[in-house]
Amino acid sequence: MRAVLPFCNAEPYLNQQPSNPDPDQKEKSIPVLQVVLSVLQASFGVQNSRNRERDFTQGKFGVFVVAALIFTALFVLTIVGIVSLVLPD
């Protein structure tokens, strides 16, 4: 029996099939720029459903994890740099 969380309705996403299942189509990977844009959009919460579906069907999990870790490190270093510039030594 599956536990149901009252604040999370993931049921519509559990049994989704790709919108265009074409067996002759070669599996394409997402270009680096699209991965970067997807990570940026997801980090700010503005990712649309079409891009999210593309990421889950064509993207590789490891690529998104690495991109998210790099983004997080750059974001934290930027905040630390701005704070160190603003606050006196």
Side-chain angles (χ1 to χ4, degrees):
M1 180 155 192
R2 187 179 357 179
V4 177
L5 299 176
F7 56 86
C8 178
N9 186 11
E11 190 66 34
Y13 302 107
L14 293 177
N15 297 321
Q16 282 187 350
Q17 298 295 326
S19 59
N20 294 326
D22 186 7
D24 296 331
Q25 184 181 12
K26 199 188 274 187
E27 186 173 325
K28 298 177 186 175
S29 62
I30 299 175
V32 174
L33 181 60
Q34 291 296 324
V35 171
V36 171
L37 289 176
S38 289
V39 169
L40 289 174
Q41 290 172 346
S43 67
F44 292 108
V46 294
Q47 181 90 346
N48 64 23
S49 61
R50 188 186 71 193
N51 288 346
R52 186 180 62 244
E53 182 179 336
R54 180 203 62 215
D55 294 343
F56 284 123
T57 56
Q58 296 178 359
K60 296 188 187 309
F61 178 72
V63 173
F64 285 102
V65 169
V66 170
L69 290 173
I70 291 171
F71 170 77
T72 302
L74 290 175
F75 181 76
V76 169
L77 289 174
T78 301
I79 297 298
V80 168
I82 290 171
V83 169
S84 67
L85 285 174
V86 172
L87 293 179
D89 291 332

